[in-house]
Amino acid sequence: KNEVEQSPQNLTAQEGEFITINCSYSVGISALHWLQQHPGGGIVSLFMLSSGKKKHGRLIATINIQEKHSSLHITASHPRDSAVYICAVRDGATNKLIFGTGTLLAVQP
Amino acid sequence: NAGVTQTPKFRILKIGQSMTLQCTQDMNHNYMYWYRQDPGMGLKLIYYSVGAGITDKGEVPNGYNVSRSTTEDFPLRLELAAPSQTSVYFCASSYPATENYGYTFGSGTRLTVV
């Protein structure tokens, strides 16, 4: 079992829909990151969380440390949101990043 | 600021050839990392460095070498390329002056070994 699990692996949505991507982890962490990767492109950091909730534009990230779970929400989704969304946790013991395998999101017009 | 710059963006190597993937950052970050990304897998750490002159192995270091002579540069060397090294490589940097620090990634190098 991977230390960082994301669900779903693939997600297709219609433009305007509310989207949720989930991340569960099994190690003690000092922070959790949500990253975005467009096809053939680089990786961009969206959020870094150690508790609570953060919002940036139409993106919202939440984390529940006790349940070892985080969610990334996209409101009013748009085709330009189509990308792979990656959850990564910073292991509290080793300080290394452990990555999930990503969620491939396709938003159709 | 340019952030993290990787070159080249694409490369095809023959088995047994060698090459160096370049990575430069202009943010004065002391931590730098090399990751590889394989289809269906999460990024795996190859090597990392916590400052000039200091490097250490990650999860998948075999077949690779690194050096860190300056704060800015962290090149990754493949000495004898093998098909198993076909992957997308990402360089990243961070500055852990405080407990909650972020990461900046380069745009990636897509390497094919044939």
Side-chain angles (χ1 to χ4, degrees):
Chain A
K1 187 173 172 19
N2 292 334
E3 293 164 303
V4 180
E5 297 275 358
Q6 287 185 236
S7 63
Q9 288 188 318
N10 294 281
L11 180 57
T12 300
Q14 294 299 121
E15 183 172 358
E17 284 185 3
F18 180 85
I19 289 164
T20 296
I21 299 170
N22 296 298
C23 176
S24 297
Y25 53 91
S26 57
V27 297
I29 70 168
S30 52
L32 182 143
H33 299 257
W34 281 103
L35 310 166
Q36 181 192 56
Q37 183 177 24
H38 283 283
I43 296 170
V44 174
S45 180
L46 298 174
F47 292 104
M48 179 177 59
L49 295 163
S50 55
S51 65
K53 175 179 174 179
K54 286 190 176 180
K55 184 176 190 293
H56 182 68
R58 295 180 294 104
L59 302 179
I60 303 166
T62 63
I63 188 168
N64 185 317
I65 296 291
Q66 286 73 30
E67 295 187 2
K68 296 189 173 180
H69 181 269
S70 175
S71 293
L72 176 68
H73 305 287
I74 305 175
T75 62
S77 59
H78 190 276
R80 65 174 174 266
D81 297 326
S82 299
V84 175
Y85 292 85
I86 301 169
C87 172
V89 301
R90 192 163 81 238
D91 187 308
T94 66
N95 240 14
K96 304 256 176 43
L97 280 184
I98 305 170
F99 292 82
T101 55
T103 294
L104 176 60
L105 172 65
V107 182
Q108 296 177 342
Chain B
N1 283 342
V4 176
T5 303
Q6 283 183 242
T7 56
K9 292 194 184 303
F10 303 93
R11 182 73 186 266
I12 299 175
L13 276 183
K14 293 185 178 177
I15 295 171
Q17 286 185 322
S18 61
M19 75 164 294
T20 300
L21 282 66
Q22 301 291 347
C23 177
T24 300
Q25 53 92 9
D26 61 0
M27 298 169 287
N28 205 31
H29 285 178
N30 50 341
Y31 280 45
M32 294 187 76
Y33 314 82
W34 274 106
Y35 295 95
R36 59 178 286 170
Q37 184 181 40
D38 299 309
M41 308 279 286
L43 276 76
K44 299 294 184 187
L45 182 64
I46 304 171
Y47 270 95
Y48 68 102
S49 169
V50 301
I54 306 168
T55 63
D56 210 344
K57 296 177 180 179
E59 301 171 77
V60 290
N62 291 343
Y64 308 95
N65 276 301
V66 293
S67 60
R68 184 93 182 272
S69 56
T70 66
T71 298
E72 294 79 18
D73 299 308
F74 190 41
L76 178 72
R77 179 85 177 159
L78 283 71
E79 289 294 351
L80 291 169
S84 61
Q85 294 177 304
T86 294
S87 189
V88 182
Y89 292 83
F90 287 96
C91 180
S93 71
S94 65
Y95 185 65
T98 61
E99 185 176 333
N100 292 317
Y101 54 91
Y103 293 76
T104 302
F105 289 83
S107 57
T109 296
R110 185 173 295 274
L111 175 67
T112 303
V113 182
V114 296

